[in-house]
Amino acid sequence: DQQVKQNSPSLSVQEGRISILNCDYTNSMFDYFLWYKKYPAEGPTFLISISSIKDKNEDGRFTVFLNKSAKHLSLHIVPSQPGDSAVYFCAAWNSGTYKYIFGTGTRLKVLA
Amino acid sequence: EAGVAQSPRYKIIEKRQSVAFWCNPISGHATLYWYQQILGQGPKLLIQFQNNGVVDDSQLPKDRFSAERLKGVDSTLKIQPAKLEDSAVYLCASSSAFGGTDTQYFGPGTRLTVL
C-alpha cells in the first residue's frame, strides 16, 4: 500500500523555466509534508516543508503547494538551474503513528 | 558542524552471510533513524530511536535484522543472515528532536549488494 505516490519517475526542464514536481497521498491523517533532494552517492537533504494547516510555503526559488481536498502537493522550482538536477522525494508525517512515509522519487534533469 | 557519518560506504556479501552497518549521528541529536532504500523506491523506515530507546520498529524484519543504539549516540544495524532482497542502500538519519516537523539529516548511506 503506497500511501505517498510520485507518479512521474522523471522530468526534464530547460534551464530558467519552471519545474513542477507532484506528489499524491492517500492518508488524510498526514499532517506535515516535506521535500528532500538527493544527489547520487549522497543522502537526501531537506529542501522545504509545509504543515497541513497551510496551503503554500515559499523559500527562495522553491515553493510547495498543498491541496488537502485533493490530497496533492507540488513543488515548484523557479527558475530551474542545472544544479537542481537530482532526485526529489516527497515525504509525509503522521503524528498519530509517528511515521514518515516517503514517495518513490522523481528524477529532475535541468537542461542547460 | 559534522554531518551524519556512516560506514562502510559499500559492502558486497554472499547470501546467508552477516553484515553490520555503523552510524554516528550529528552531535547532540536525540533521534536516530535507519531507512532501507531499494533501487527505484523511496526510503522505507526500518527503526527509529529516541536517545537509546526504540520508538518504532514495526517495519524491521526482526527475524534477521537487529539494531541498537548504545548510550544514545552511535548505532549499528545488523543483518543475519542476509537475503538477496536485502540488496539496498541503508540510510541513517538524525534529528535534534522527535517529530515530523524536525529536519532529518541523512548520512551518505551504505550500499549493500547480496550475491
Side-chain angles (χ1 to χ4, degrees), chain B residues 11-29:
Chain B
K11 189 73 177 178
I12 301 174
I13 62 173
E14 301 277 336
K15 60 182 178 183
R16 291 188 288 273
Q17 285 187 322
S18 301
V19 65
F21 313 128
W22 173 81
C23 173
N24 186 22
I26 292 173
S27 177
H29 277 194

Side-chain angles (χ1 to χ4, degrees), chain A residues 32 34 36 38 41-46 49 89 93 97-105, chain B residues 9 33 35 37 40-43 48 56 58 91 98-104 106-108:
Chain A
Y32 200 73
L34 311 93
Y36 284 84
K38 185 182 184 304
E42 295 182 12
T45 55
F46 170 75
S49 61
F89 292 98
W93 165 259
T97 61
Y98 303 111
K99 281 195 192 320
Y100 281 96
I101 306 291
F102 278 78
T104 53
Chain B
R9 292 295 310 275
Y33 310 80
Y35 290 86
Q37 185 179 10
Q41 299 181 18
Q48 53 179 323
D56 178 37
S58 57
L91 294 162
F98 177 71
T101 60
D102 204 58
T103 299
Q104 293 186 49
F106 284 82

Side-chain angles (χ1 to χ4, degrees), chain A residues 25 30-33 50-56 66 68:
Chain A
Y25 61 95
F30 289 137
D31 44 18
Y32 200 73
F33 302 89
I50 188 167
S51 166
S52 61
I53 63 173
K54 295 187 175 182
D55 55 17
K56 177 183 175 181
L66 175 62
K68 284 177 58 179

Side-chain angles (χ1 to χ4, degrees), chain A:
Chain A
D1 176 26
Q2 188 66 34
Q3 297 185 56
V4 179
K5 299 178 184 178
Q6 294 177 255
N7 292 317
S8 298
S10 63
L11 174 68
S12 291
V13 172
Q14 282 297 129
E15 181 180 8
R17 305 295 290 269
I18 183 171
S19 295
I20 300 176
L21 295 93
N22 295 303
C23 180
D24 296 296
Y25 61 95
T26 57
N27 189 341
S28 58
M29 298 304 292
F30 289 137
D31 44 18
Y32 200 73
F33 302 89
L34 311 93
W35 284 94
Y36 284 84
K37 179 168 73 172
K38 185 182 184 304
Y39 292 119
E42 295 182 12
T45 55
F46 170 75
L47 194 57
I48 192 169
S49 61
I50 188 167
S51 166
S52 61
I53 63 173
K54 295 187 175 182
D55 55 17
K56 177 183 175 181
N57 188 25
E58 191 171 354
D59 183 1
R61 297 186 297 113
F62 303 92
T63 303
V64 56
F65 295 92
L66 175 62
N67 183 333
K68 284 177 58 179
S69 60
K71 295 190 178 69
H72 176 83
L73 66 156
S74 61
L75 174 68
H76 292 210
I77 306 173
V78 184
S80 301
Q81 299 173 355
D84 296 329
S85 297
V87 177
Y88 289 80
F89 292 98
C90 67
W93 165 259
N94 184 333
S95 61
T97 61
Y98 303 111
K99 281 195 192 320
Y100 281 96
I101 306 291
F102 278 78
T104 53
T106 296
R107 183 178 301 277
L108 173 66
K109 188 170 185 178
V110 180
L111 306 170

Side-chain angles (χ1 to χ4, degrees), chain B residues 63-84:
Chain B
D63 58 335
R64 299 183 300 105
F65 286 64
S66 65
E68 60 182 6
R69 190 182 184 195
L70 299 174
K71 301 179 182 177
V73 182
D74 292 8
S75 177
T76 56
L77 176 70
K78 297 179 181 177
I79 307 175
Q80 181 179 16
K83 293 186 175 181
L84 296 176

